[in-house]
């Protein structure tokens, strides 16, 4: 697998943008401590899933056709992200200055939220922010146990 760098991140975002912009969040799932999926629906693209993997050596994000199985009880982080993102629409998809962070801007009930995925070989991070930059929730690769890090998204 090729490592993500700013040019690859930009190309991935360019590929994802037509699918994501205007799509509605259906649900959020967290199969492993370092793996999160967001399910979307779009009138033009139908149902699809965006996977975020924060494993330090397998860090990536990409579209997948079907979400992987989830545990029967959602994690507290998953429940919190569902609360904020379910029903939200994607307003825009962009790469932040510096090129190492992708950002998806959502709107829900006149509230704007930003989901940021920072790619780093040592410590990837996924975070949800309010419009004023207040961090609502954060997931990084250090939260996974050694056993969970051996598994892949």
């Amino acid at each position: 697998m090729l490592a993500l760098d700013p040019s690859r991140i930009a190309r991935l975002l360019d590929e994802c943008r037509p699918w994501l912009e205007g799509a509605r969040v259906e649900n959020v799932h967290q199969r492993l401590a370092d793996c999160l999926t967001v399910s979307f629906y779009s009138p033009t693209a139908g149902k699809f899933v965006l996977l975020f993997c924060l494993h330090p050596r397998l860090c990536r994000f990409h579209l997948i056709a079907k979400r992987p199985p989830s545990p029967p009880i959602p994690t507290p982080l998953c429940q919190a992200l569902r609360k904020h993102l379910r029903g939200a629409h994607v307003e825009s998809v962009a790469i932040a200055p510096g090129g190492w962070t992708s950002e998806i801007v959502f709107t829900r009930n006149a509230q704007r939220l930003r989901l940021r995925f920072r790619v780093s070989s040592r410590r990837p991070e996924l975070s949800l922010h309010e419009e004023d930059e207040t961090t609502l929730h954060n997931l990084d690769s250090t939260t996974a146990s050694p056993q969970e890090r051996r598994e892949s998204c």
Side-chain angles (χ1 to χ4, degrees):
M1 175 179 276
L2 296 172
L4 287 177
D5 60 31
S7 66
R8 285 191 178 95
I9 293 168
R11 285 195 306 263
L12 274 169
L13 288 175
D14 287 344
E15 290 176 14
C16 293
R17 188 172 290 111
W19 291 72
L20 289 170
E21 288 184 347
R24 183 188 77 243
V25 175
E26 288 198 324
N27 215 341
V28 177
H29 300 276
Q30 187 176 7
R31 187 171 94 82
L32 301 169
D34 60 2
C35 183
L36 188 90
T37 58
V38 182
S39 302
F40 293 91
Y41 175 78
S42 164
T44 56
K47 292 185 180 193
F48 59 94
V49 178
L50 184 60
L51 177 135
F52 296 95
C53 180
L54 283 81
H55 189 287
R57 286 185 275 154
L58 301 171
C59 179
R60 66 193 187 279
F61 69 96
H62 55 92
L63 294 171
I64 56 177
K66 201 170 154 187
R67 74 171 174 83
S70 297
I73 300 172
T75 65
L77 172 69
C78 185
Q79 290 175 345
L81 289 174
R82 285 177 179 179
K83 175 184 161 192
H84 290 288
L85 293 178
R86 232 187 226 162
H89 285 84
V90 177
E91 185 178 302
S92 65
V93 177
I95 191 163
W100 291 99
T101 303
S102 58
E103 180 178 84
I104 303 173
V105 177
F106 297 91
T107 53
R108 181 173 176 245
N109 301 331
Q111 180 186 24
R112 290 179 88 204
L113 298 168
R114 299 174 189 280
L115 185 66
R116 293 188 178 130
F117 184 49
R118 183 177 54 84
V119 176
S120 165
S121 60
R122 301 246 187 254
R123 195 170 170 200
E125 181 180 42
L126 185 72
S127 54
L128 184 65
H129 304 266
E130 289 183 322
E131 193 167 7
D132 67 1
E133 298 302 319
T134 302
T135 301
L136 297 171
H137 304 286
N138 189 44
L139 175 65
D140 67 43
S141 60
T142 61
T143 59
S145 69
Q147 170 64 31
E148 289 171 317
R149 279 193 214 112
R150 283 192 282 271
E151 297 183 41
S152 176
C153 297

